[in-house]
Amino acid sequence: MHNILKNAVFSYAVTEKAEAEFAQHLPLAENLVLNYTEATEVKWAENDSKTHRVVVLGLCVDAHGELTREQIPDFLMKSSEQGGLSQAWTAANRCAGKFLIYLQCPAGSFIWGDATCALGIYYTHSSAVPAVAVSENLAAYYGKITGNKLNDGKIAAEQELDIEITKNAPLGQPLPADRSSYKRVRILLPNHALDLSTYRARRLSLPAVKPVADIEDIAAISERLIANIYREYAKYYQLTCPLTAGYDSRMNFAFAQKMGGDIPYYTFKHPGFSEHTPDLQIA
């Protein structure tokens, strides 16, 4: 597994010690360690009294276009000084990307993800060994769950796998709610934070927003936010645009054209597609 994680991006595990499979290690509260690969970016900020600390792992940008990536952890940390988890969570709603946020404050230590939890946050549940990781298999591995799929290639012991819920599910298909293939591993959902003292998820209330009644105003605000996110992403990655028959990809295409730049486009040709398939015709 060491070779698998060597060049992996967006890869991490929070465990009780520095794990040899990872190149980087950052001590956290609760006697935990954030282990991450050399290719995974981590930025953090801490106040002088060391009572508040924020760690951001992954790609996290400001949709308002006001903060740099380096400024975001300090902005969230100062927000937590004003109102703890609730205030930091509300402040983080302006962020976009694929990331994990860790907060240490007097109320405890918490982890939550981006708006859609695009970066997986799997955690052990009802297990003697706490672990949080980017995949269910890594969480099971570091959670010492018997017969996990990464343990010498063995198939997980039947008593640890949720056989009934996975037997008819297509490969890669998300399971209902916070379920995973393992009975003692859960996935953190959007709008939830994981309490690292109890390894229980808690739902967070969405921040109150000022109603916008005019559709033109809504479109203008959306366009401004998307443009900011687009520009920030383009600083760090070569952007590409997939095309299908759906309205979402067409909107992305139109927006990319408006923003300019040399952007590759591609589509998918699945078995059974012909030249008359809408996906290919529209693309």
Side-chain angles (χ1 to χ4, degrees):
M1 188 172 64
H2 180 74
N3 290 333
I4 296 175
L5 293 174
K6 185 176 181 180
N7 298 315
V9 295
F10 298 106
S11 297
Y12 72 91
V14 177
T15 64
E16 293 181 316
K17 63 182 179 68
E19 305 293 350
E21 293 86 357
F22 291 90
Q24 308 289 335
H25 314 282
L26 181 64
L28 305 175
E30 310 288 348
N31 296 315
L32 296 173
V33 176
L34 172 61
N35 304 276
Y36 57 101
T37 62
E38 194 169 349
T40 299
E41 293 186 80
V42 168
K43 303 180 187 302
W44 61 281
E46 185 176 57
N47 64 0
D48 293 338
S49 59
K50 301 187 184 302
T51 56
H52 293 75
R53 188 186 194 192
V54 166
V55 179
V56 179
L57 180 145
L59 174 65
C60 181
V61 303
D62 179 24
H64 292 191
E66 299 169 350
L67 302 172
T68 66
R69 291 180 66 190
E70 290 70 26
Q71 292 172 325
I72 289 174
D74 187 65
F75 172 75
L76 298 179
M77 184 273 295
K78 290 177 179 175
S79 297
S80 73
E81 287 183 305
Q82 297 171 5
L85 171 63
S86 176
Q87 192 73 19
W89 155 257
T90 299
N93 273 275
R94 66 189 286 166
C95 298
K98 182 177 181 178
F99 59 83
L100 168 155
I101 295 175
Y102 164 87
L103 169 66
Q104 172 199 334
C105 63
S109 298
F110 308 91
I111 283 177
W112 69 91
D114 54 73
T116 63
C117 283
L119 181 64
I121 304 175
Y122 291 85
Y123 59 96
T124 51
H125 176 78
S126 302
S127 175
V129 181
V132 184
V134 68
S135 74
E136 61 179 24
N137 291 327
L138 275 178
Y141 177 80
Y142 289 116
K144 302 294 188 291
I145 292 179
T146 305
N148 63 78
K149 297 177 183 178
L150 297 180
N151 186 7
D152 298 325
K154 297 177 182 177
I155 300 300
E158 184 172 332
Q159 65 269 23
E160 294 290 359
L161 280 178
D162 204 334
I163 302 296
E164 289 301 315
I165 202 169
T166 58
K167 67 181 181 181
N168 293 319
L171 184 63
Q173 177 67 35
L175 297 175
D178 61 351
R179 305 295 290 272
S180 81
S181 300
Y182 296 92
K183 294 178 180 178
R184 295 194 289 165
V185 175
R186 295 286 186 264
I187 183 172
L188 192 67
L189 299 176
N191 301 330
H192 287 70
L194 178 64
D195 187 332
L196 291 176
S197 65
T198 62
Y199 278 77
R200 298 285 181 177
R202 53 192 286 190
R203 186 176 179 86
L204 299 169
S205 300
L206 292 174
V209 295
K210 182 180 179 180
V212 180
D214 190 284
I215 189 65
E216 296 297 328
D217 291 339
I218 294 174
I221 293 171
S222 299
E223 183 177 6
R224 184 175 70 251
L225 294 176
I226 295 171
N228 289 333
I229 294 169
Y230 185 98
R231 281 191 287 265
E232 285 297 304
Y233 284 177
K235 291 179 182 178
Y236 308 102
Y237 294 94
Q238 169 63 58
L239 301 182
T240 62
C241 182
L243 297 174
T244 67
Y247 287 109
D248 52 351
S249 71
R250 283 185 252 181
M251 184 189 73
N252 290 338
F253 173 80
F255 197 87
Q257 289 290 100
K258 181 178 180 179
M259 293 296 290
D262 185 16
I263 304 169
Y265 302 93
Y266 66 94
T267 191
F268 304 92
K269 186 175 183 180
H270 297 290
F273 276 23
S274 71
E275 59 182 11
H276 303 296
T277 300
D279 296 56
L280 301 181
Q281 282 191 322
I282 293 174

